[in-house]
Amino acid sequence: VCRVSVIPDWAIELKRFAPHLRVMVHHGANRFDSDDSFKVRALDHDVVLTSFSLIARDAEQLRAVVWSRLVLDEAQQIKNPNTGQAKAARSLLADRKIAMTGTPVENRLSELWSIMHFLNPGLLGTAAGFRKRFAVPIEREGDDNAAELLGRVTQPFLLRRLKTDRNIIDDLPDK
């Protein structure tokens, strides 16, 4: 699941790096073929690319498949847990979930809660419990203990790449 503008990029990169994978692009006005079901077509492919707007619009069809992996590219798109696309993303069934984002927190810690709730429901408690235990103490009171605890709880689920680490990737431009 990604932004509409990068669906073609993902298709090109998949063809380049994994040409053996059968890729289905679920996008556009003709995304449903009247001759067969979405589920049948999806299960006949290794990768299905779609957009955040369509996971909300086509949630019923997408929920018909139990996905092996569900990947959100630019997962900050579900930072507000009350949006239709965040709810739709959480409703999809998958054996494994991955959320990729360069900005897990843009404005408030509740955005991190929303992404983590997609990945591992219940890990950080309810939204209200998270606000009480972490967001308010960290954001309003500067509570270092709460920040350290949040870091310890979430760290096993985070993989962070720094531009300064040239062992990861050597062609990233400087900031």
Side-chain angles (χ1 to χ4, degrees), residues 64-147:
V65 177
V66 177
W67 304 96
S68 174
R69 286 171 197 83
L70 177 58
V71 180
L72 301 185
D73 179 22
E74 298 194 28
Q76 71 273 15
Q77 297 290 320
I78 65 162
K79 68 183 181 180
N80 180 342
N82 300 316
T83 63
Q85 59 193 28
K87 290 175 182 177
R90 289 193 309 268
S91 76
L92 300 179
L93 301 174
D95 296 332
R96 293 167 201 87
K97 295 178 182 178
I98 297 172
M100 301 185 302
T101 179
T103 51
V105 178
E106 291 178 301
N107 298 307
R108 59 190 66 83
L109 283 175
S110 63
E111 297 168 357
L112 176 64
W113 178 88
S114 183
I115 294 170
M116 292 301 294
H117 190 64
F118 161 77
L119 292 169
N120 197 342
L123 176 71
L124 298 177
T126 64
F130 178 81
R131 273 191 305 279
K132 183 178 179 182
R133 185 170 187 190
F134 295 110
V136 170
I138 294 169
E139 293 173 348
R140 292 191 189 155
E141 302 162 12
D143 187 329
D144 292 335
N145 291 330

Side-chain angles (χ1 to χ4, degrees), residues 7-19:
I7 288 176
D9 298 328
W10 271 108
I12 290 167
E13 293 301 309
L14 284 162
K15 187 173 186 174
R16 178 178 168 199
F17 290 103

